[in-house]
């Protein structure tokens, strides 16, 4: 089994910054794509940013130029640096990883438990 644990959420003023981290642990052979999603109250979960094992990245238009996704394959960890935060960025942020487990033939999609980001003055 694989677990994803997020950290780094909290309350920040508009214009401020936060850095989210998500560490994967368990029976991991290789992690393929990793990403961050968010879900605001009353809205659907949406992709914020994604990164491949080769460090190719993809961002939602709403966060381009403000957020940066990165990963450390040695630590099985993905990060999301969020700058110039806006009230509309407030949401629960979820980590996602496509993981090939030890002894498994097919990768499986895993989710973290979520971390709350509040942007308010």
């Amino acid at each position: 089994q694989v677990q994803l644990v997020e950290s780094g959420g909290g309350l920040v003023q508009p214009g401020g910054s936060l850095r989210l981290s998500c560490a994967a642990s368990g029976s991991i052979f290789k992690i393929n794509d990793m990403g961050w999603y968010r879900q605001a109250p009353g809205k659907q979960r949406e992709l914020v940013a994604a990164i491949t094992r080769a460090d190719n990245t993809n961002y939602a238009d709403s966060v381009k130029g403000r957020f940066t996704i990165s990963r450390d394959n040695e630590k099985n960890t993905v990060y999301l640096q969020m700058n110039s935060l806006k009230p509309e960025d407030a949401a629960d942020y979820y980590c996602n990883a496509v993981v090939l487990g030890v002894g498994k033939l097919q990768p499986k999609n895993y989710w973290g438990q979520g971390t709350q980001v509040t942007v308010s003055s």
Side-chain angles (χ1 to χ4, degrees):
Q1 192 60 283
V2 173
Q3 299 81 38
L4 301 181
V5 178
E6 299 114 332
S7 61
L11 171 64
V12 64
Q13 292 185 342
S17 298
L18 281 176
R19 187 190 195 210
L20 305 183
S21 299
C22 171
S25 62
S27 185
I28 299 170
F29 178 73
K30 184 175 72 172
I31 301 178
N32 297 328
D33 295 353
M34 304 185 82
W36 289 94
Y37 289 71
R38 67 187 181 188
Q39 187 168 19
K43 295 188 176 181
Q44 288 189 329
R45 189 173 296 189
E46 62 175 357
L47 174 68
V48 176
I51 185 168
T52 68
R53 188 170 180 83
D55 286 342
N56 296 310
T57 58
N58 180 40
Y59 295 92
D61 288 341
S62 59
V63 307
K64 283 181 181 176
R66 300 187 297 121
F67 291 11
T68 301
I69 189 170
S70 61
R71 64 189 286 173
D72 184 334
N73 292 329
E74 293 294 321
K75 296 181 178 179
N76 290 333
T77 299
V78 62
Y79 306 95
L80 185 68
Q81 177 66 43
M82 305 185 293
N83 298 328
S84 302
L85 281 159
K86 304 175 181 181
E88 51 263 42
D89 294 317
D92 290 326
Y93 282 71
Y94 296 89
C95 172
N96 173 265
V98 180
V99 180
L100 181 61
V102 173
K104 304 296 185 181
L105 297 178
Q106 296 293 333
K108 185 177 177 181
N109 204 31
Y110 290 92
W111 291 91
Q113 81 287 354
T115 185
Q116 188 174 53
V117 172
T118 303
V119 184
S120 175
S121 55

